[in-house]
Amino acid sequence: MAETLIAWFTRFTDDPKKLSARLAGRPVLVFEPPVREESADDADDDFQFRTSAGDGAINSKTGEAVVAVIEKTKDNAFQRRVTMGRTTNNDIVLEDASVSRFHAWLQLNDKGAWEVVDAGSRNGTFINGRRLSQKVGQALDNDQRLRIGSVELRYFTSKGFLDYLARRAVER
């Protein structure tokens, strides 16, 4: 289930230890909309931390920064795969026309590291700009760029995400 970045940031500033316990070592995907130039009308608008009603999906058109914990949902049939795609039966829903209905999945490899696998999508899955071969797992490292279709995400380990929130707190 995806939640706004502001909600995670608020939890972090309120109680970092509690947030760390909530993550329990689970990595996350972060969607941040492309930075736009400020006009005089929105100079005070905190674009990166705008709140959202949110429906549990990452929607690339809303301009909302969103975080999705990489975890299995109860309703998804694939036992050891965290699926990503456009339809609501995926564990992580990416609402964007460039994303296939079932686009890719995340899984733990035999070394205990998370990897991403393209499910045979039309528009591809990319790590740091390099297109992945279909149905071949590629291990993920902290703070890597992951593109699903045209949706840009960042993969963070649990610790990496907490460090990211700490850096953002200092910037505010």
Side-chain angles (χ1 to χ4, degrees):
M1 179 73 78
E3 293 181 78
T4 61
L5 186 56
I6 188 68
W8 286 93
F9 181 77
T10 301
R11 284 187 204 123
F12 176 79
T13 56
D14 288 348
D15 192 346
K17 288 181 182 177
K18 186 174 180 181
L19 180 62
S20 179
R22 159 59 179 103
L23 289 173
R26 293 182 196 91
V28 300
L29 293 175
V30 176
F31 168 77
E32 291 184 278
V35 177
R36 64 184 174 119
E37 292 185 29
E38 280 188 5
S39 68
D41 294 336
D42 61 7
D44 294 326
D45 185 19
D46 192 2
F47 183 71
Q48 292 295 320
F49 284 108
R50 188 174 301 164
T51 59
S52 168
D55 62 0
I58 296 173
N59 186 328
S60 64
K61 307 298 184 225
T62 64
E64 306 297 342
V66 179
V67 176
V69 178
I70 298 175
E71 59 189 352
K72 199 72 200 133
T73 60
K74 295 175 186 167
D75 299 333
N76 190 291
F78 296 101
Q79 291 295 324
R80 295 184 299 200
R81 297 176 181 173
V82 177
T83 63
M84 295 184 291
R86 197 175 65 239
T87 59
T88 58
N89 63 333
N90 286 287
D91 296 304
I92 299 172
V93 178
L94 303 170
E95 292 181 356
D96 189 276
S98 70
V99 175
S100 298
R101 288 180 298 236
F102 170 44
H103 196 102
W105 70 85
L106 298 152
Q107 65 186 15
L108 284 169
N109 64 22
D110 57 357
K111 296 177 182 172
W114 283 96
E115 61 184 17
V116 63
V117 181
D118 184 273
S121 66
R122 176 182 293 172
N123 292 321
T125 302
F126 301 78
I127 296 178
N128 295 333
R130 187 177 59 80
R131 188 174 185 144
L132 302 182
S133 300
Q134 294 180 354
K135 313 267 172 124
V136 177
Q138 176 66 48
L140 291 163
D141 291 322
N142 184 56
D143 201 9
Q144 274 192 315
R145 303 271 176 197
L146 177 63
R147 184 161 51 98
I148 306 296
S150 63
V151 178
E152 296 278 345
L153 304 163
R154 288 170 72 184
Y155 169 87
F156 287 101
T157 62
S158 179
K159 181 185 179 328
F161 182 57
L162 293 170
D163 292 345
Y164 169 76
L165 290 174
R167 285 191 307 273
R168 294 295 294 255
V170 171
E171 292 170 6
R172 292 195 81 162

